[in-house]
Amino acid sequence: MASKILVIEDQSKLASLIQRGLSADGYEVRVAPDGELGLDMIYHNTFDLIILDLMLPGISGIEVCQLLRKENNPVPILMLTALSATNNVVTGLDSGADDYMVKPFKFEELKARIRTLVRRTNNTGTQQASSTIRIADLVLDMDTRTATRGGKEIALTATEYRLLEFMMKNKNKVLTRIEILEHVWDINFNMGTNVVDVYVNYLRKKVDKGFDTKLIHTMIGVGYSIKEA
């Protein structure tokens, strides 16, 4: 069955280009020119992926994303925007987006990211066995996608969770920034940003603050690791 994609984009030429290109690859693609119509279509249909412009007339892409996540809608969201600064990337991901692409973009890269997001969702849906990872008193439950330390739950955004999961699956290993970008964000979208450092610092504040034993470590000039000592 073809994956259904909703493109919420106010630039009609770009929206049409994306629709034609993805339809040629076998996707079922629908287009909404603004956030309000996009939300209405989401509420009345089931989509496998949403491609969402950040700057929209009326309801912004950030607001659309935040609203869907507040309603616990798990649909994968790929943000598409002309804003490339690190703070814009972080804002988009913190609002609940799963990935972030900057305009102008290469269509082959867009298709690769779409395949990855759809595959990730399908794999998550087929997981059945309970699975947890423990490092000291830090516990990650991959079924419920929650983390606790010392028995207290840690509030994580979707991106923070993916980063923590990747680091814990590779505990005691020093991970380079490139490795983290490739596995947490799937594709190197902008090697010039310091988004990895920003998110590692977010995690460090949530995981280590208030605890004598620090679990997240920086290897200067190399990368990051998570370990007991």
Side-chain angles (χ1 to χ4, degrees):
M1 183 181 296
S3 295
K4 296 177 64 177
I5 297 176
L6 173 63
V7 179
I8 306 178
E9 169 64 63
D10 64 323
Q11 297 180 35
S12 59
K13 289 184 178 179
L14 177 58
S16 179
L17 174 66
I18 294 173
Q19 184 176 37
R20 290 198 308 270
L22 295 182
S23 296
D25 270 16
Y27 294 104
E28 183 180 334
V29 185
R30 299 183 66 184
V31 173
D34 57 60
E36 186 174 359
L37 180 58
L39 284 171
D40 186 64
M41 293 172 68
I42 292 167
Y43 293 149
H44 292 89
N45 300 272
T46 299
F47 293 99
D48 298 294
L49 176 74
I50 295 172
I51 298 175
L52 178 63
D53 185 20
L54 190 66
M55 295 182 290
L56 294 167
I59 304 174
S60 72
I62 292 291
E63 291 172 312
V64 169
C65 195
Q66 290 174 333
L67 183 59
L68 292 175
R69 296 309 186 225
K70 185 177 181 181
E71 295 170 348
N72 296 317
N73 189 324
V75 61
I77 296 174
L78 169 59
M79 272 194 176
L80 205 57
T81 179
L83 303 175
S84 60
T86 297
N87 65 308
N88 297 125
V89 176
V90 171
T91 298
L93 295 172
D94 275 353
S95 70
D98 297 276
D99 203 354
Y100 190 109
M101 279 195 75
V102 176
K103 302 173 185 176
F105 57 88
K106 294 181 180 179
F107 205 80
E108 288 302 315
E109 181 180 350
L110 174 64
K111 293 194 293 185
R113 292 185 185 225
I114 290 171
R115 288 194 298 269
T116 299
L117 288 172
V118 171
R119 182 170 63 246
R120 178 195 293 166
T121 303
N122 291 339
N123 289 341
T124 300
T126 57
Q127 289 180 351
Q128 294 187 10
S130 176
S131 183
T132 59
I133 307 174
R134 179 185 295 271
I135 300 176
D137 57 348
L138 175 65
V139 180
L140 187 75
D141 187 324
M142 291 182 288
D143 284 342
T144 60
R145 296 175 69 84
T146 57
T148 59
R149 183 160 189 195
K152 184 177 179 180
E153 185 170 347
I154 302 169
L156 298 171
T157 65
T159 305
E160 289 168 352
Y161 171 83
R162 291 200 303 272
L163 175 58
L164 182 60
E165 180 184 56
F166 178 61
M167 293 183 73
M168 291 184 71
K169 283 182 175 179
N170 292 276
K171 60 182 178 181
N172 301 319
K173 177 182 177 182
V174 179
L175 301 168
T176 67
R177 290 171 178 79
I178 294 176
E179 286 178 306
I180 294 172
L181 276 173
E182 289 178 342
H183 288 83
V184 177
W185 285 275
D186 303 307
I187 293 184
N188 302 341
F189 51 83
N190 187 344
M191 296 304 296
T193 72
N194 63 335
V195 68
V196 171
D197 307 274
V198 170
Y199 272 91
V200 169
N201 285 333
Y202 283 171
L203 271 189
R204 182 175 276 129
K205 290 176 182 178
K206 293 186 176 184
V207 170
D208 284 341
K209 188 176 181 179
F211 292 90
D212 293 332
T213 302
K214 308 304 180 186
L215 302 180
I216 298 176
H217 303 268
T218 302
M219 300 296 291
I220 298 176
V222 182
Y224 300 97
S225 67
I226 188 165
K227 54 187 179 181
E228 292 188 38

